[in-house]
Structures are given as structure tokens and as C-alpha cells.
Amino acid sequence: DREISVIGFKTHQSSYDMVGNWIKSARLNAIKWILKTREFFGFCFQTAYLSVTYFDRFLSKRSINKEKGWAIRLLSVACISLAAKMEECKVPKLSEFPVEEYNFESKVIQRMELLVLNTLEWKMRSVTPFAYIHFYITKLCKDSPSPPKIILSR
Amino acid sequence: MSTALSLCGRNLVGFLSIACFNLADPQILLGFLSVASIDFLKGGAVLLIEMDKYKKTREIGYGGFGNVYQGCNRVTNENVTLKELWFPDEKEGVPSVVIKEISLLKEMEHSNIVRLLEVVSAVNENSVYLVYEDMECDLQKFMNDCPKIAKDPDFIKRFLQQILCGLAYYHSHNILHQDLKPQNMWIDRFDYILKLADFGWARAFGGSFKKIGYLDVTHWYKAPELLRCQQFSTPVDVWSVGCIFAEMVTRRPLFAEFSEVHQLLKIFSILGTPTWPEGTTSHLFANCYSKDLAAAVPGLVTLEPAGIDLLSKMLCINPSGRITAHDALKHAYFDNIEFEV
């Protein structure tokens, strides 16, 4: 939850119950799951961030039927798996993702990966704020002797 | 400190919300999502662009990641080149090399690089095919079929310039081609535009790629540091271009030996044997260039002095002393033609 509030997702919470906002809350849950999974595998934040951009880009091109929680979860798994493959040195097997109540076969996840790749036209290299954060933090902190490690480590 | 933190926070939110809910018409439901059963995903109704769209006409090459075919679009009859990439392990899904490679290729857009038209999934979904535009004639074939044009000094210059333009573009994106040879350079017979193809493994350096039994069709164009299995980088491509340059002029491969060891000996016999710093296995070659290239290769007499100079700079045995593609384009050899970048 700390991570979620730092990145600022909690601001959307008030819209949870609004009619027609199913997808918003589904997205929020997906992001929570992605952040939890990031922590679980020890991925870097960049990977989680990239997963969310894939997720959003996918949903901006294709829609998902209401109450298909499994489809959202499947999409989340595919997005974080693809992001991990772009960013991480060590990538878990598809079956190792903690999908909780769902049970996706590797073949199904691979199929979803392909659907995401095709939908995003295989354009998976994105420039994210993480590329600049270090630069800005050092700039902003140039008055103080050394920027706190806690910020840099994020 | 708090400024820094909240700024980061705002930035992130800002970036994240860009893509937020520009949802398509909710009525347009994905086929597979309208069916509750996940099994449906296996059924093939998912909107993947599939291989059915293309017909393989003949196999033109192979590598550790899959074969290369000539094919055509079933609807438009347009000829294409299809490069297959296998997924070796279902447990890992789409391999990260494939994702990294294709997302890089998708960004390549240059008039001297063959265009990647699209990526299609194989029907069994255990591989994808990269669909490239097809240009029917490669440099090898062109040199054989149209010897008069191909040996014209102005054409050689024009082709070399185009090769270097494409290569400089690859290198500026941190991509090594690693398999430059006349068979990988395509020529449009109408306007003599040359395009580099990458049906070997053009790859980002810094990536952790494994060559899984990839078979090099030829080592004739391999740089000495590659033959000696040393560290290598962009200079290996410039070496290959040098070999091709000489081949265009002399009409025969410059170094064409049957094994890699003989290949290396041949290179040294023509360019002079380098001396290595004692007791090191360093890739630094001392005294890298000692022989007169024009004297060592009689076929090069027809090449103008500026051309000989450029060629010897491209064939510098020491990779760190070799000219870069970018600098080669500025060489005096190209002074008397117009630049088209």
C-alpha cells in the first residue's frame, strides 16, 4: 500500500463504485497485483511501471467485457512477464507467477503475450521517467551534500 | 527532499494517466473475452494475425532460431521474405531475445535497410514470422547478372555509400549486424537502391544472446577479432563492408578460405602479420597494417587512390584503429558524388 500511495494510485479510489467504472477499479486491482508481483520477484520498479504502460496501451486498443476478472488477471500476467523480459536479467517461468485464484496454463499465458505483442505492434521499448529520475534528483538535491539514499534507491 | 519526492510522484501519475481509458466502444468485445471459459483461448478465435495470410514458396536459409523462406501474400500476391523465430521453451512463453529483437527492429526505419512489414504468429503459436519486403535481387546475384553495371566505378561508389549509410544507422542505434555479405544486401533493379537485410541475427549489443547452433553460412567476411573469438563490436561490420568493397572492385571474394584458421592466415598473408604484445591475449594488435594493399591484391589496380585509402582503413586489422561507418561516409572517396541520406 505504501508503494501504491507513493506512486499516487490511491487518488482514484473515490471513483470505485461509480457506475461504468468497472474497468477503473479493475485496472487499480491489476496495478496492485502488478506491484505485489514486482515485490514477490524482486523486480525493479521500472518493470512494474512498464507493465502498467503495456496494460494501459492494450486497453486503449481493445476492450474487455465487464466482470471478466480472469481476463484482466491474464492480461496483467502477460504484461508483467513481457516487461520482465525486457528489463530483468532473470525472468521467472510463466507458471511461477502468483495468479492466486486463477489457473492459467503456460500455453494460455504465452497466447496472451502474443496478443499483447501484436496489439502493441511489438513496440515494447518505452522511455519511462525512470530514465530521468536519477538526473532530476541529483539536480534538485545539489544544495544538500548528498541525496538521501532512500530516494536514489527507488 | 520532499520536493524531490512529490515531483517524482506527480511525474509518475502524469505519465501513467496518459494512456488512461481511451477505451474503445465497449460493444466491440474481443471474441475470447465474451466467453467465460479460459479454454476458449485455445480455440484460435483470438485476433492474432496468423501465418495463413502468407504462403511459403521456398526455403532460402536457416539458422538456430528458425528458417528463412521466400513467400507471398495470399491476397495481394506481393512477394515477401519470411524469417521464422522459434520459441524453444513453452514454459517461458515468448523468449525475451525475440521480444527485444523485434521491438528494436520495429524502430528501424531507413531507406537503406529492408523494411519489416509485420510480425505474424505461426499457426501452432510456437514461433513467429518476421515478414520483410522482398526485393528479388541481392548484391551477389546483381554482380553475376549485370557485370557491366556492377563493375562501373560510379555504381560501386554509390552502392558502397548506401551500404555505409544503412550501417551507420544500425550502429547509431547500438545494433551490430554481424552478418554482412553480398547475399544480405538487396538491390532494387529499377532505381539501384541498396538495402541491408538482417536475416542473420542483427542484435543489440549488451543483450545476453546465445548463439544456439547458429550456422554461419560463410566466414569470408568475418573480421579477424571474430575469427580469433575475441571481444568485438561495431568494427566487425566495417571489416565486412571492406571485404565487400574489394569484391565489388575485383569481382572475387577478397579472403575466401575453407576454414576459419585458413581465413585468418590468408588475411595476414595479404595485410601483414600483426605482432601481439608479449604474453597478452589482448585484442589489441600492434603494427596492424604493414603491406601495401594495392600491391598485395592485383585486382585493385582499377580502384582510384582515394578508394584504396578508404579500403585499407576499413581493413585495419586492429579493430580500434578501423574507420567507423560514420567517418567512412566522410572519406574523400565520396567527395565527387551527391549525398543522399
Side-chain angles (χ1 to χ4, degrees):
Chain A
D1 271 11
R2 192 177 59 91
E3 282 168 14
I4 293 173
S5 56
V6 164
I7 307 184
F9 296 122
K10 280 213 162 153
T11 53
H12 291 292
Q13 256 180 349
S14 56
S15 56
Y16 255 43
D17 304 323
M18 283 168 65
V19 186
N21 273 352
W22 170 81
I23 198 76
K24 276 196 181 173
S25 80
R27 174 177 182 267
L28 213 55
N29 286 330
I31 291 169
K32 277 184 187 166
W33 181 85
I34 286 171
L35 288 172
K36 224 162 59 188
T37 309
R38 181 212 70 83
E39 210 178 348
F40 179 78
F41 287 116
F43 291 159
C44 53
F45 280 92
Q46 156 96 354
T47 304
Y49 185 88
L50 211 53
S51 318
V52 177
T53 61
Y54 294 162
F55 184 93
D56 287 344
R57 281 171 62 202
F58 183 90
L59 284 183
S60 72
K61 293 198 171 162
R62 298 189 191 280
S63 53
I64 287 183
N65 198 3
K66 204 178 168 181
E67 276 135 37
K68 292 290 179 282
W70 63 267
I72 293 283
R73 177 56 49 84
L74 183 56
L75 175 60
S76 313
V77 176
C79 288
I80 196 164
S81 160
L82 291 170
K85 285 170 183 171
M86 290 298 288
E87 294 298 321
E88 303 289 334
C89 302
K90 208 172 168 295
V91 181
K93 289 193 163 45
L94 296 179
S95 56
E96 290 169 18
F97 284 94
V99 287
E100 295 157 1
E101 69 268 36
Y102 305 102
N103 183 20
F104 303 128
E105 281 174 39
S106 297
K107 182 82 192 164
V108 173
I109 301 175
Q110 178 181 305
R111 207 177 159 112
M112 191 66 198
E113 283 185 334
L114 276 172
L115 183 61
V116 174
L117 287 165
N118 276 311
T119 305
L120 306 187
E121 296 174 325
W122 292 80
K123 291 176 184 154
M124 312 307 282
R125 280 156 51 100
S126 311
V127 178
T128 68
F130 289 90
Y132 307 103
I133 272 181
H134 244 266
F135 174 79
Y136 283 120
I137 289 178
T138 16
K139 281 279 172 213
L140 286 165
C141 300
K142 72 174 176 213
D143 298 335
S144 62
S146 61
K149 281 201 174 114
I150 179 93
I151 299 182
L152 285 182
S153 67
R154 303 205 68 94
Chain B
M1 276 340 81
S2 61
T3 333
L5 250 182
S6 63
L7 179 82
C8 302
R10 260 207 306 279
N11 273 352
L12 288 172
V13 175
F15 274 94
L16 281 175
S17 52
I18 291 170
C20 231
F21 302 101
N22 168 22
L23 267 178
D25 181 354
Q27 299 304 313
I28 308 170
L29 298 174
L30 254 184
F32 83 93
L33 295 177
S34 59
V35 175
S37 162
I38 293 168
D39 287 340
F40 190 78
L41 268 175
K42 299 171 192 157
V46 176
L47 306 172
L48 295 179
I49 312 165
E50 288 194 336
M51 190 45 201
D52 302 356
K53 193 170 159 189
Y54 297 96
K55 189 168 71 184
K56 295 178 195 168
T57 48
R58 83 190 162 91
E59 193 179 308
I60 51 179
Y62 60 96
F65 287 94
N67 300 343
V68 184
Y69 302 90
Q70 198 167 57
C72 74
N73 185 318
R74 285 181 199 274
V75 183
T76 62
N77 258 341
E78 181 191 16
N79 284 332
V80 291
T81 300
L82 300 161
K83 177 178 164 186
E84 186 176 17
L85 297 175
W86 289 316
F87 305 162
D89 187 355
E90 194 182 282
K91 292 187 194 79
E92 284 169 18
V94 184
S96 75
V97 272
V98 170
I99 301 168
K100 285 180 185 165
E101 178 83 4
I102 297 178
S103 49
L104 206 59
L105 290 174
K106 273 281 183 178
E107 291 171 20
M108 296 297 105
E109 209 178 319
H110 190 276
S111 51
N112 298 118
I113 292 177
V114 168
R115 209 152 49 91
L116 175 61
L117 300 175
E118 63 175 345
V119 183
V120 296
S121 311
V123 179
N124 65 8
E125 288 171 14
N126 287 323
S127 65
V128 285
Y129 288 88
L130 307 190
V131 183
Y132 290 91
E133 60 181 337
D134 182 74
M135 295 180 62
E136 287 170 11
C137 182
D138 64 49
L139 182 59
Q140 185 70 57
K141 193 168 183 303
F142 187 79
M143 288 194 289
N144 293 336
D145 294 357
C146 315
K148 269 193 185 150
I149 305 175
K151 73 179 177 195
D152 179 296
D154 286 336
F155 268 94
I156 292 175
K157 194 174 284 191
R158 218 170 126 179
F159 284 152
L160 184 66
Q161 189 192 38
Q162 297 186 70
I163 294 169
L164 287 168
C165 279
L167 188 60
Y169 182 83
Y170 269 135
H171 289 176
S172 70
H173 285 77
N174 286 356
I175 296 175
L176 290 187
H177 188 293
Q178 270 200 67
D179 195 24
L180 287 172
K181 53 191 175 196
Q183 295 84 348
N184 262 347
M185 299 178 172
W186 295 33
I187 288 166
D188 188 322
R189 288 186 201 240
F190 295 104
D191 49 15
Y192 301 112
I193 295 287
L194 181 147
K195 296 191 184 200
L196 304 183
D198 71 325
F199 307 127
W201 263 110
R203 55 184 197 172
F205 37 93
S208 54
F209 287 83
K210 272 186 194 161
K211 279 192 176 174
I212 306 174
Y214 173 67
L215 194 97
D216 272 312
V217 183
T218 172
H219 47 257
W220 295 353
Y221 306 94
K222 263 192 185 175
E225 64 269 27
L226 266 182
L227 293 166
R228 295 188 67 216
C229 303
Q230 290 167 322
Q231 276 194 333
F232 58 90
S233 183
T234 50
V236 295
D237 289 334
V238 177
W239 176 276
S240 309
V241 176
C243 296
I244 294 161
F245 181 22
E247 185 169 340
M248 287 195 285
V249 177
T250 64
R251 329 286 308 140
R252 60 173 56 182
L254 182 58
F255 310 115
E257 298 299 310
F258 58 89
S259 80
E260 298 205 348
V261 175
H262 289 89
Q263 180 77 16
L264 202 57
L265 292 174
K266 174 80 175 177
I267 291 172
F268 294 156
S269 79
I270 292 184
L271 297 176
T273 308
T275 52
W276 285 273
E278 215 166 298
T280 63
T281 49
S282 155
H283 69 278
L284 293 171
F285 296 88
N287 302 339
C288 58
Y289 179 64
S290 55
K291 282 197 185 173
D292 180 2
L293 199 55
V297 186
L300 290 173
V301 285
T302 54
L303 185 59
E304 62 187 278
I308 296 278
D309 184 66
L310 175 58
L311 180 59
S312 54
K313 284 179 172 150
M314 296 170 102
L315 294 179
C316 175
I317 289 185
N318 182 351
S320 53
R322 208 170 293 153
I323 196 167
T324 63
H326 185 260
D327 288 345
L329 282 166
K330 293 189 219 150
H331 191 274
Y333 175 64
F334 295 113
D335 279 355
N336 51 357
I337 59 167
E338 274 188 23
F339 247 76
E340 16 177 324
V341 179

